[in-house]
Amino acid sequence: MSRSQLAPGVEVVAVPGRGLAVRTADGEFLSVRVGEADQDALLARLSGAVTDGPDAELDRLVRAFEDAGYLAERPRHAAWPAGRRDVRLVGDCVLTGPLAAYLRAAGAEPQSAAPEEATDGQPAAVVWCLDGPVPQGLWGAADRLPERGIAWLRCHREGWQAYVEPLAVAAGDVTSAHVRARRLAATPAHRELDAYWIGPRISGESFRLETPAAGLLAALLADDLTRWATDAPDTGGLPARRRLRRVDLRTLTVTEHPVLPVPDVAPMPEKAG
């Protein structure tokens, strides 16, 4: 007996008069040539049902689905390891509230904490969420958490744009300081952006995150942390530890940008004489 199952997001449909087609996780439709195999048996196998007896043609088709990446490689919902369940949430409750709910549902044990208490007891991870720009130097100490074996994840809002920064889990990963440096280097308005971060700023009518926007940001953070905790593979083209996500809060559109650590600058040699 053997068992196979389609990967999440992949579906197979019977097209009248044309046989089977697979809808990929990217939304494309591809024809499936079943040859001499029994179509119903193939559908049963791909739905996860157990089939009896060897069937060379059916096995060949299933291997083709596997080679194309259309079969599930592991259980979809891996258990959250006990050693990584202690997650401290710092920052604004409009974001930490829904994030805590998502993390509990995934199997973590999140706790709200003040910044100065976030690392008490050596948690597995610290997540800091701000419903506004990051004050100068606020995350400087937290950027060193990965060196202590504590995963470090954060997000913040700048007007109608929010940023979910890369997950840092080890020394040498992307820190908030690296993200700032990369963003300054990538824009011709680097002086203006730097001044915006430092402040002071004069804003229009104040607003807070709406529930859908806060839920989206919390879901992105929870997904990154869950994949790290359960060693699940990344989705999409960029790994979570090298990905900056920008969220347009007006349209809830998410765009991804690659970001790398900024290497330390070697000290200038002393002049002789």
Side-chain angles (χ1 to χ4, degrees), residues 5 21 51 55 65 100 110 119 126 152 167 174 180 185 206 257 271:
Q5 191 164 21
T51 58
D55 187 319
F65 272 81
T119 59
V126 171
W152 166 225
L167 174 67
V174 178
R180 284 196 172 219
S206 62
H257 307 273
K271 294 183 179 180

Side-chain angles (χ1 to χ4, degrees), residues 195-203:
Y196 173 79
W197 286 337
I198 295 173
R201 298 173 295 273
I202 297 176
S203 303

Side-chain angles (χ1 to χ4, degrees), residues 153-154 164-169 173-174 179 220 223-225 227-228 232-245 255-261:
L153 186 60
R154 61 267 175 206
V164 178
E165 298 197 3
L167 174 67
V169 301
D173 276 349
V174 178
V179 171
L220 293 174
D223 184 66
D224 280 351
L225 208 60
R227 290 182 182 280
W228 161 75
D234 288 319
T235 58
L238 297 173
R241 292 164 66 179
R242 297 294 185 268
R243 174 184 63 201
L244 173 66
R245 285 183 290 199
T255 54
E256 297 185 351
H257 307 273
V259 60
L260 297 173

